[in-house]
């Protein structure tokens, strides 16, 4: 597998470096505000994955656990014993797997829009590889509509700031991209459809699971359940947002991330719809949806 790594150094780091795993929707333009917000107080290690979030080939049969172990090797090569890790959407699920498999490498974890389980948008009896093949054959419009309906809250009765602009931008991006880029989007979804269930208690390090209050692929209840598995888990939702909260409410999302990583108070923030510390001991062998 191929990881592309960008390291940016802070002039006055206050905490361990931040390992930011990039999701497909996080372009350079989208992640620039994140970098500028983090650099005043931490070194930043941005990671993209060849064949998923950037051009390249992902080895056959490679899953989130394999990618998580690959991130550990990236840190070894950089000489970083411990990091804070952040990931949104697909990258949030990967960040959680990394936290479970390599807890000794972590200070704090911020997961945005994680589900902790396989997605369920596929038609009955249709596997993820077959669905990806169907979408590629059916044309760009069908694939774009499937991806947008799987990720966005399209219910007009629910308030989502920036929904129309984001949906238009996402559809335009899908129509402009070439077959290789579209395949990467579908490969990313395929990884999430086939992820193995989480079993047992989560890592004990401080962990924030945050999502939009109207998230469709990672509903707040599932995000809360994931946080409840972690002794240091905190669950939060940001008002008037969906799965792409890190784009449509980036200022609030960055403020929450900064406060959590710097161990500042989170109570009474005006943009939060919910804030809980829901930890409960997990019975041995129970899955994340129990």
């Amino acid at each position: 597998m191929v990881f592309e790594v960008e390291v940016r150094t802070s002039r006055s780091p206050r905490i361990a470096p931040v390992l930011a795993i990039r999701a497909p929707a996080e372009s350079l333009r989208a992640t620039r505000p994140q970098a500028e917000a983090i650099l005043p107080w931490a070194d930043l290690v941005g990671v993209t994955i060849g064949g998923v979030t950037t051009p390249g080939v992902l080895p056959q049969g490679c899953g989130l656990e394999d990618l998580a172990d690959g991130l550990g090797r990236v840190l070894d090569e950089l000489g970083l014993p411990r990091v804070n890790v952040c990931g949104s959407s697909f990258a949030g699920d990967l960040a959680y797997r990394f936290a479970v498999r390599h807890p000794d490498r972590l200070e704090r974890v911020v997961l945005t829009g994680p589900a902790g389980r396989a997605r369920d948008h596929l038609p009955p009896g249709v596997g993820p590889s077959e669905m990806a093949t169907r979408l590629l054959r059916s044309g760009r419009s069908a694939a774009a509509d499937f991806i947008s309906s799987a990720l966005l809250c399209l219910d007009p009765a629910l308030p989502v700031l920036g929904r129309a602009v984001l949906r238009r931008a996402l559809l335009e991006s899908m129509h402009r991209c070439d077959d290789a880029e579209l395949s990467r989007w579908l490969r990313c979804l395929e990884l999430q459809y086939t992820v193995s269930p989480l079993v047992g208690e989560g890592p004990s390090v401080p962990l924030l699971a945050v999502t939009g209050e109207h998230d469709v692929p990672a509903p707040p209840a599932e995000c809360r359940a994931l946080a409840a598995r972690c002794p240091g888990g905190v669950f939060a939702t940001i008002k008037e947002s969906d799965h792409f909260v890190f784009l449509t409410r980036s200022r609030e999302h960055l403020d929450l991330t900064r406060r959590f990583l710097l161990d500042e108070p989170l109570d009474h923030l005006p943009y939060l719809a919910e804030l809980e510390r829901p930890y409960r001991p997990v019975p041995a062998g129970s899955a994340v949806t129990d």
Side-chain angles (χ1 to χ4, degrees):
M1 69 195 73
V2 177
F3 293 96
E4 292 188 12
V5 181
E6 178 190 28
V7 180
R8 299 185 62 180
T9 305
S10 172
R11 292 185 177 180
S12 53
R14 296 165 54 187
I15 61 174
V18 173
L19 174 66
I21 309 168
R22 305 303 190 196
E26 293 184 291
S27 64
L28 179 61
R29 179 180 178 184
T31 58
R32 187 175 294 117
Q34 181 192 60
E36 298 305 318
I38 289 174
L39 284 172
W41 40 268
D43 296 340
L44 178 65
V45 180
V47 175
T48 55
I49 304 163
V52 182
T53 52
T54 54
V57 177
L58 194 67
Q60 190 68 29
C62 180
L64 291 185
E65 286 79 7
D66 302 298
L67 292 172
D69 293 341
L71 289 174
R73 291 190 289 272
V74 168
L75 297 186
D76 290 340
E77 292 174 3
L78 295 174
L80 298 177
R82 296 175 70 87
V83 293
N84 297 281
V85 63
C86 300
S88 298
S89 189
F90 155 80
D93 286 327
L94 173 54
Y96 186 81
R97 300 288 165 150
F98 177 73
V100 168
R101 296 172 71 86
H102 302 277
D104 57 315
R105 310 298 297 265
L106 298 174
E107 297 285 346
R108 287 176 174 253
V109 181
V110 178
L111 311 174
T112 303
R117 65 165 181 81
R119 311 299 193 194
D120 56 5
H121 292 88
L122 297 181
V126 177
S129 297
E130 180 184 352
M131 188 65 189
T133 301
R134 286 187 187 184
L135 288 169
L136 286 171
R137 289 176 177 171
S138 63
R140 210 166 300 281
S141 293
D145 287 342
F146 176 81
I147 291 172
S148 64
S149 63
L151 297 178
L152 300 177
C153 173
L154 301 178
D155 186 344
L158 299 176
V160 176
L161 295 177
R163 169 169 44 207
V165 173
L166 179 61
R167 184 165 190 262
R168 183 167 60 250
L170 180 62
L171 291 175
E172 289 176 354
S173 174
M174 292 292 99
H175 284 287
R176 287 197 310 268
C177 70
D178 58 22
D179 287 348
E181 185 176 351
L182 182 57
S183 294
R184 290 197 298 275
W185 272 92
L186 296 173
R187 178 60 174 136
C188 178
L189 291 177
E190 184 180 341
L191 282 168
Q192 292 177 296
Y193 287 127
T194 56
V195 64
S196 58
L198 299 171
V199 177
E201 195 157 89
S204 59
V205 299
L207 180 146
L208 170 65
V210 57
T211 191
E213 64 173 336
H214 305 306
D215 194 319
V216 172
E222 295 179 3
C223 192
R224 180 189 293 107
L226 190 150
R229 306 178 75 82
C230 305
V234 177
F235 163 71
T237 61
I238 294 180
K239 296 176 181 177
E240 299 182 310
S241 59
D242 63 3
H243 192 63
F244 285 103
V245 58
F246 55 94
L247 297 178
T248 58
R249 304 215 65 182
S250 60
R251 181 177 300 177
E252 293 82 1
H253 178 258
L254 284 170
D255 180 66
L256 182 65
T257 298
R258 179 189 63 80
R259 289 173 179 270
F260 183 77
L261 291 181
L262 295 179
D263 197 21
E264 296 179 355
L266 306 180
D267 301 292
H268 310 302
L269 297 176
Y271 52 79
L272 291 185
E274 298 176 88
L275 177 68
E276 300 178 25
R277 292 167 176 79
Y279 172 66
R280 61 181 185 276
V282 178
S286 67
V288 73
T289 54
D290 289 357

